[in-house]
Amino acid sequence: MLNAKTPSISTLLPELIQLETLIERLSQHKSPVPFHFDILAHIPCNNHFPQNHQNSLPLYAIHLGTPDPKAPLMLFVGGVHGLERIGTQVLLSYLHTIIERMTWDTTLHHLLERIQIVFIPLVNPVGMAKNYRSNGNHIDLMRNAPLNSQEKTAFLIGGHRLSPRIPWFRGHNSQQMELEADALTRFVTDLTTSRTVTLSLDCHSGFGLKDRIWFPYAHSAKQAFPYIGDVFHLRHTFMRTYPNQNYIFEPQALHYLCHGDLWDHITLQCLRQQQVILPLTLEMGSWRWIKKNPLQIRQALGIFNPMKPQRIQRVLQKHIVLMDFMINATANYPSWFNHADNPYYKQQALSRWYKKQQ
Ligand SMILES: [Zn+2]
């Protein structure tokens, strides 16, 4: 029975309400831009919110732009780790901006005739409603893929099978992939099938002082991701165009290795089927927010999210340039992608990021 003391789902998960409001707004929209949404999975949650009579929470994907399955695709993903709410909030704020621009901005209409943009801002709704890093089953979705590193991984952080009570739990060996991870993998590998290129940005927070953009691999420091030349060229284009930003681009393996990384898994699945995906992860430097406001470390959310309203506002603003760039880079991919026959950028990437391996 719902009583005055039972928090509602809208109190526990305002991000879901915000997302559904944006979908509603799109449904009533008079824009010429094609739009539809999918529910990739219904994530069971009845044992978490018994008093709310809530059996499941939806995992939404919102498609904007041309339905042509061959069109270049930009994928925005967030909320894989439930505690890192700011990633979802950055994407919801950006989706809001895109929806408003769709009502008046003919430049955007033309752009969306050429590309498709897909938002999956809340991959782990149960984890976020519970303020867990993991999903509702205490499994870390970014350690849950059936992929083992053959090199030395970081202790615990790199994924383990010891106990669901310790963060970074991968799940038991015999278990299937979790519903959220499996749904995202199937959806992305299916969506990339006939496209020349797919770019993605998965928004996280919690590592270091600076904002980093990580690319695969997370399971190996010895192997280089096949598209490092293209990533280097993309980075070069970004830096040249926006010289006053301070993102650090690097392979995740430069910091630590882990088992079960979902983007490594999706990348390898795509490579096997000769599909192209360049999955980037935005790792927002949350230690900077703690440095400015040390008391916020007393709250679990304070370790991963800005807490003061003006700082939240600044973070929501800050990444618009990056996300606009990625959309434009997707539409203009011939200017930076697939220089395989030109070893220049690959060599640059190898000497910048893989010096030890050479
Ligand atoms: Zn994360």
Side-chain angles (χ1 to χ4, degrees):
M1 174 73 76
L2 198 66
N3 61 45
K5 285 187 182 161
T6 307
S8 64
I9 291 297
S10 57
T11 310
L12 297 168
L13 196 55
E15 290 84 356
L16 180 64
I17 308 306
Q18 198 183 341
L19 176 56
E20 289 179 335
T21 308
L22 290 171
I23 292 172
E24 184 65 29
R25 168 106 175 90
L26 274 165
S27 310
Q28 294 162 357
H29 223 262
K30 296 273 186 293
S31 163
V33 176
F35 141 79
H36 74 275
F37 73 90
D38 294 319
I39 296 180
L40 307 188
H42 294 274
I43 315 299
C45 65
N46 37 0
N47 50 349
H48 288 293
F49 314 108
Q51 291 164 317
N52 280 299
H53 307 290
Q54 187 86 28
N55 293 323
S56 67
L57 292 173
L59 199 179
Y60 284 110
I62 292 110
H63 303 245
L64 304 172
T66 173
D68 179 357
K70 291 191 172 131
L73 169 70
M74 178 65 223
L75 197 60
F76 290 107
V77 178
V80 171
H81 290 137
L83 268 176
E84 299 165 19
R85 305 186 94 117
I86 188 67
T88 295
Q89 291 163 4
V90 162
L91 292 184
L92 292 174
S93 172
Y94 188 58
L95 178 58
H96 169 98
T97 299
I98 294 280
I99 293 171
E100 287 309 313
R101 283 178 57 196
M102 279 164 57
T103 64
W104 60 269
D105 185 349
T106 53
T107 313
L108 181 64
H109 298 167
H110 293 312
L111 186 74
L112 289 172
E113 285 168 8
R114 294 159 58 198
I115 64 168
Q116 187 173 113
I117 309 178
V118 174
F119 283 86
I120 313 173
L122 187 39
V123 171
N124 177 13
V126 179
M128 195 171 287
K130 297 290 289 181
N131 282 333
Y132 294 165
R133 172 186 169 88
S134 68
N135 72 352
N137 300 330
H138 302 285
I139 292 172
D140 187 331
L141 298 173
M142 219 16 102
R143 303 289 184 273
N144 180 233
L147 174 70
N148 294 322
S149 172
Q150 302 304 320
E151 298 166 37
K152 192 172 176 354
T153 55
F155 179 60
L156 297 180
I157 294 176
H160 63 84
R161 298 201 193 274
L162 302 172
S163 159
R165 273 180 275 201
I166 305 171
W168 312 288
F169 181 59
R170 300 182 61 190
H172 295 292
N173 216 350
S174 52
Q175 272 175 313
Q176 300 278 320
M177 258 169 107
E178 290 297 286
L179 189 53
E180 302 89 334
D182 187 50
L184 185 67
T185 304
R186 284 171 195 271
F187 178 73
V188 175
T189 47
D190 189 42
L191 206 60
T192 51
T193 304
S194 352
R195 301 180 198 264
T196 312
V197 66
T198 297
L199 260 175
S200 70
L201 187 72
D202 179 17
C203 300
H204 290 250
S205 57
F207 183 90
L209 288 164
K210 299 208 163 141
D211 292 334
R212 290 163 197 275
I213 295 174
W214 282 348
F215 54 87
Y217 292 121
H219 74 284
S220 173
K222 291 180 187 157
Q223 272 175 297
F225 170 57
Y227 300 103
I228 49 165
D230 295 306
V231 172
F232 191 92
H233 199 172
L234 182 72
R235 169 191 174 273
H236 177 69
T237 310
F238 181 59
M239 298 286 187
R240 211 181 52 202
T241 313
Y242 300 99
N244 298 314
Q245 55 71 43
N246 52 7
Y247 293 97
I248 299 172
F249 285 67
E250 55 195 5
Q252 181 181 330
L254 225 50
H255 291 282
Y256 63 91
L257 295 181
C258 62
H259 298 294
D261 183 271
L262 198 48
W263 289 113
D264 276 15
H265 175 61
I266 291 172
T267 301
L268 293 172
Q269 296 264 82
C270 286
L271 279 172
R272 257 176 238 132
Q273 295 158 35
Q274 288 166 348
Q275 299 167 206
V276 180
I277 184 166
L278 276 70
L280 307 183
T281 295
L282 168 61
E283 192 66 57
M284 287 177 257
S286 62
W287 300 357
R288 191 175 62 242
W289 309 323
I290 297 169
K291 203 171 151 193
K292 288 185 179 160
N293 181 26
L295 289 180
Q296 72 180 54
I297 206 163
R298 294 189 300 189
Q299 307 162 54
L301 284 177
I303 302 172
F304 298 95
N305 302 280
M307 301 302 276
K308 296 206 163 168
Q310 75 275 20
R311 201 156 291 131
I312 296 172
Q313 201 177 33
R314 235 174 281 146
V315 176
L316 299 186
Q317 287 283 341
K318 183 183 171 186
H319 304 290
I320 292 175
V321 168
L322 172 70
M323 294 187 283
D324 278 348
F325 169 78
M326 290 194 73
I327 286 177
N328 286 306
T330 303
N332 296 287
Y333 71 90
S335 69
W336 58 271
F337 177 68
N338 206 356
H339 290 254
D341 50 347
N342 174 355
Y344 174 74
Y345 289 105
K346 196 156 195 168
Q347 196 48 52
Q348 293 278 310
L350 284 171
S351 58
R352 183 177 189 90
W353 293 311
Y354 299 87
K355 269 189 212 121
K356 284 189 209 152
Q357 284 73 39
Q358 288 190 77

